[in-house]
Amino acid sequence: MWEMAKQRDAYGETLAELGRERENIVAVGADLCGSCRIKKFGTEFPERFFNAGIAEQNMMGIAAGLAMSGKTVFASTFAVFATGRAYDQVRQSIAYPEANVKIVSTHAGITVGGDGASHQMLEDIALMRVLPNMRVIAPADYHETIKATRAIADYKGPVYLRLGRSNIPIITDEDADFEMGKATLLKEGEDVTLIGTGIMVSRCLKAAKILEKKHDIDARVINMSTIKPLDEKMIVDSARKTGGVVTAEEHVVSQGMGSGISQVLSETYHVPMKRVGVANVFGESGGSDELMEKYGLTADHIVESAHDVISRK
Amino acid sequence: MAKLDDNRIEEIEEMARRVRIHVVKSTHAAGSGHPGGSLSATDILTTLYFEVMDHRPDEPQWKHRDRFVLSKGHAAPALYGVLAESGYFPVEELMTLRKLGSRLQGHPDMLKVPGVDASTGSLGQGLSIACGIALAAKIDRESHRVFAICGDGEVQSGQIWEAAMFASHHKLDNLIVFLDRNQLQIDGPTEDVISIEPIVSKWKSFGWHTQEINGHDIEEIVDAIDRAEEKDGKPSMIIAHTIKGKGVTFMEGSLAFHGKAADDEQLEVALDELGGA
Ligand SMILES: Cc1ncc(C[n+]2csc(CCOP(=O)(O)OP(=O)(O)O)c2C)c(N)n1
Ligand SMILES: [Mg+2]
């Protein structure tokens, strides 16, 4: 079985490391600095750390202003407040002027659990990927979060990095390459392509195992950690090779990563597709695993969708 | 309103004690939730639902009821406690808090729970909703009142001040709001994170009638509401000085128990103190 770790721990450690390497990095938070793990940076670099209080809109504006004065700014809160509450500030003050702000959200998705629908952000990929100038990344695990945090610090411009709350499987290699905009092939396969992002990549790998063992189906597995810009070459190559695509994300299926991929394929190379994700509904309180099951986000749901896609090839 | 006699005060205090037990037990059963801010608001909530508000638990949508908006929605366990004790739903249901399929969501859902007048959880939004409800009562010439509770960290949010301006501009004197001044938010004391002081004069300068009380003194809560109602033409802000985690010694003034439930051992200690089973 896979080892488990939290993406936000990886982020917090890496941000503190970056702080030691670069004086130019500033972090801002909004009364969730412990939960988002930016407290470590704050303790080490109090002169470059600012807590805006429960005022996410103001936090984004402050981040924009700092960036316009040459700082590389990391702004962190829960996904629902970073992209929902502060949407217009992100649009007008960060995306439009291409401010060098890295919006790193935690607690994205339904795995938030007990807090319920008000805190379970399932629309943030949609909100961020539609914004001009915004890049969107959802790393698959702990290791990839470290690399993504470093990559976005090097990149000049606005980025949305989407992280979860809970312990998730470590499925990538500690020394695997990461490049923004490049998807990674995790498993070769002939019959169908499974494309996951974030926590769902591990579910895709698990689904591929089930397909192989129980159904003699050879699935290709892709980790689409950059959702914007999408790695169109990898998407089209995979579609050509396998003739069918299943996407999986912890997000509403409307306008998430899967929608992006279907848009790419509909304009390039048509294959049967199925998007695994949450229907266009709000979540509810419950345990993370129970919710993943109830809202259609397990390996079995991916397996079922793979059968559906193959039957339509 | 007539002065409360000592017996009545004791009855309300006894009810508040029961609600505190519900808060501690239900969050313990859930394994998560927000006991600290629930316990600081318990005396205010209990006084509202058992002494002040005109409402009908057997007719939750009664048109002429006084309304209540829990702007600091994470104090849901305390709200559920008073609603259950009022008879809106069975007390046993409290133990389903935050569980899959329960009506009792981590934050109040007006579509699920009878007696909940507004869905809240994203801080800073409830006060605007309360203003809208108060405004509708004015349009319809209805005499019901609208009560709300805000957190002291919550008022850092800009929308609170947009609502503050709106309420006084529109003379919403049917709106009575409590600020649960428990001094703490998640990352520390409000005065260390983003200072909200001088908080009384801020509300005053926004055109509100302001009072300061001890938010754990039933008589002071009732008196403050009486005085608030005498003020024509102004919304009312009652700054209630409270203790986060009030009633459970190890939770009092504790940052840790903002968003963490008691474990098994702690539950026993807490129930012992609260005289609960
Ligand atoms: C807009 C928004 N930002 C952040 C949060 C996360 N959050 C939940 S409770 C809380 C602290 C609330 O502090 P306060 O208002 O003082 O409440 P209390 O002390 O009464 O619990 C925060 C930041 C939220 N619910 N809504
Ligand atoms: Mg507080």
Side-chain angles (χ1 to χ4, degrees):
Chain A
M1 259 346 275
W2 290 306
E3 238 186 282
M4 309 284 277
K6 292 186 177 75
Q7 294 176 316
R8 54 193 169 120
D9 285 336
Y11 167 56
E13 298 286 333
T14 311
L15 183 64
E17 273 170 26
L18 283 165
R20 281 168 228 139
E21 294 162 19
R22 308 180 198 187
E23 275 185 14
N24 183 37
I25 289 185
V26 178
V28 295
D31 199 30
L32 290 167
C33 298
S35 301
C36 294
R37 300 293 191 263
I38 58 176
K39 209 170 168 178
K40 190 178 169 68
F41 179 97
T43 309
E44 261 187 72
F45 309 104
E47 70 293 348
R48 293 190 262 149
F49 174 78
F50 302 93
N51 193 334
I54 307 170
E56 294 79 8
Q57 299 172 318
N58 188 47
M59 174 186 78
M60 291 301 180
I62 302 292
L66 285 163
M68 285 160 200
S69 311
K71 308 295 178 196
T72 299
V73 187
F74 281 77
S76 286
T77 179
F78 288 180
V80 70
F81 309 125
T83 66
R85 182 55 153 273
Y87 189 77
D88 197 46
Q89 283 74 15
V90 171
R91 179 182 188 271
Q92 314 281 1
S93 302
I94 295 175
Y96 179 43
E98 296 187 55
N100 195 21
V101 176
K102 319 304 162 185
I103 302 164
V104 183
S105 78
T106 66
H107 296 63
I110 203 147
T111 43
V112 156
D115 276 348
S118 63
H119 285 57
Q120 293 162 345
M121 188 34 141
L122 293 165
E123 311 101 54
D124 54 330
I125 294 175
L127 289 170
M128 291 296 109
R129 88 180 179 95
V130 77
L131 274 182
N133 299 333
M134 186 63 74
R135 301 213 158 197
V136 181
I137 304 176
D141 66 2
Y142 184 91
H143 294 321
E144 203 171 45
T145 302
I146 295 176
K147 292 169 214 167
T149 304
R150 289 196 159 271
I152 64 177
D154 288 336
Y155 170 81
K156 200 162 178 343
V159 179
Y160 177 61
L161 183 69
R162 179 191 214 233
L163 308 177
R165 174 188 74 95
S166 34
N167 263 317
I168 63 168
I170 297 183
I171 50 137
T172 66
D173 246 355
E174 202 169 343
D175 36 45
D177 285 336
F178 173 86
E179 196 183 323
M180 228 197 300
K182 284 264 178 299
T184 44
L185 176 64
L186 297 181
K187 179 187 170 299
E188 264 301 358
E190 305 281 329
D191 302 329
V192 65
T193 302
L194 313 179
I195 306 180
T197 194
I199 185 175
M200 294 306 288
V201 179
S202 63
R203 269 65 174 177
C204 287
L205 286 169
K206 201 170 156 199
K209 274 213 182 94
I210 298 171
L211 287 166
E212 187 181 319
K213 286 216 175 98
K214 294 203 183 145
H215 311 277
D216 200 26
I217 290 170
D218 185 18
R220 185 178 162 93
V221 181
I222 307 287
N223 171 13
M224 192 62 68
S225 41
T226 306
I227 296 169
K228 190 184 174 193
L230 280 169
D231 185 343
E232 299 196 7
K233 185 172 180 316
M234 178 69 92
I235 294 168
V236 176
D237 287 353
S238 301
R240 275 186 205 282
K241 190 156 189 193
T242 62
V245 172
V246 176
T247 62
E249 62 202 302
E250 189 194 4
H251 188 269
V252 289
V253 284
S254 31
Q255 307 313 324
M257 173 207 58
S259 295
I261 289 172
S262 80
Q263 284 156 3
V264 169
L265 289 175
S266 69
E267 288 181 351
T268 52
Y269 186 79
H270 291 200
V271 293
M273 250 199 92
K274 185 94 185 172
R275 293 166 300 157
V276 171
V278 177
N280 199 9
V281 295
F282 287 107
E284 65 180 300
S285 293
S288 301
D289 291 340
E290 293 172 318
L291 291 166
M292 292 291 276
E293 175 73 44
K294 176 165 178 182
Y295 286 85
L297 299 170
T298 67
D300 287 338
H301 290 99
I302 299 170
V303 167
E304 214 175 285
S305 299
H307 285 302
D308 174 61
V309 162
I310 291 168
S311 74
R312 288 189 279 121
K313 278 202 334 192
Chain B
M1 212 178 286
K3 261 246 167 302
L4 290 183
D5 66 40
D6 289 351
N7 280 345
R8 184 65 192 132
I9 292 174
E10 269 172 39
E11 273 172 31
I12 299 169
E13 283 171 348
E14 167 58 15
M15 185 52 75
R17 184 184 69 85
R18 290 165 64 145
V19 171
R20 287 196 159 87
I21 292 171
H22 294 321
V23 166
V24 174
K25 277 172 100 171
S26 63
T27 50
H28 167 265
S32 66
H34 300 86
S38 296
L39 294 171
S40 63
T42 294
D43 296 306
I44 299 167
L45 273 163
T46 307
T47 308
L48 283 174
Y49 276 85
F50 287 90
E51 178 64 26
V52 176
M53 283 168 55
D54 199 6
H55 64 120
R56 296 180 178 170
D58 53 354
E59 196 187 344
Q61 295 298 318
W62 178 45
K63 194 165 175 261
H64 304 295
R65 72 189 187 281
D66 288 333
R67 309 301 203 269
F68 176 75
V69 177
L70 185 64
S71 197
K72 41 168 275 187
H74 58 279
L79 176 60
Y80 296 154
V82 293
L83 289 176
E85 287 288 353
S86 299
Y88 283 93
F89 54 84
V91 167
E92 301 78 64
E93 196 172 333
L94 290 171
M95 298 304 275
T96 68
L97 175 71
R98 290 177 162 244
K99 300 215 163 103
L100 188 65
S102 171
R103 297 192 282 185
L104 307 181
Q105 296 293 296
H107 295 82
D109 182 336
M110 64 182 286
L111 298 182
K112 288 197 163 88
V113 188
V116 170
D117 287 322
S119 298
T120 51
S122 182
L123 293 168
Q125 304 197 22
L127 184 58
S128 297
I129 297 172
C131 287
I133 297 172
L135 192 62
K138 292 275 181 197
I139 296 170
D140 296 340
R141 297 182 198 290
E142 292 278 353
S143 59
H144 58 255
R145 301 163 293 176
V146 184
F147 295 92
I149 302 181
C150 292
D152 52 358
E154 183 184 15
V155 301
Q156 290 161 346
S157 178
Q159 188 180 343
I160 289 288
W161 302 99
E162 297 174 26
M165 241 182 280
F166 185 96
S168 58
H169 181 90
H170 288 281
K171 302 188 169 47
L172 300 179
D173 50 10
N174 51 350
L175 177 64
I176 299 176
V177 183
F178 287 85
L179 183 72
D180 186 352
R181 185 70 174 113
N182 60 24
Q183 301 289 335
L184 299 177
Q185 53 190 115
I186 294 182
D187 286 340
T190 58
E191 297 317 285
D192 292 352
V193 176
I194 289 289
S195 171
I196 66 168
E197 293 293 347
I199 192 65
V200 179
S201 60
K202 276 196 182 74
W203 286 97
K204 212 180 264 303
S205 71
F206 272 73
W208 287 54
H209 174 249
T210 56
Q211 303 175 68
E212 273 184 280
I213 62 162
N214 172 357
H216 300 306
D217 185 313
I218 309 297
E219 208 171 352
E220 285 194 31
I221 297 168
V222 172
D223 286 350
I225 294 168
D226 282 349
R227 277 194 299 272
E229 294 204 278
E230 288 161 11
K231 293 287 165 210
D232 271 355
K234 278 187 179 185
S236 199
M237 171 53 73
I238 301 168
I239 314 279
H241 294 282
T242 58
I243 295 169
K244 204 155 176 167
K246 171 76 177 174
V248 178
T249 312
F250 65 86
M251 290 186 178
E252 289 189 357
S254 150
L255 277 181
F257 284 98
H258 166 83
K260 189 179 77 174
D263 63 23
D264 294 349
E265 248 170 74
Q266 291 164 335
L267 177 70
E268 263 184 54
V269 178
L271 291 180
D272 230 34
E273 274 189 41
L274 291 167

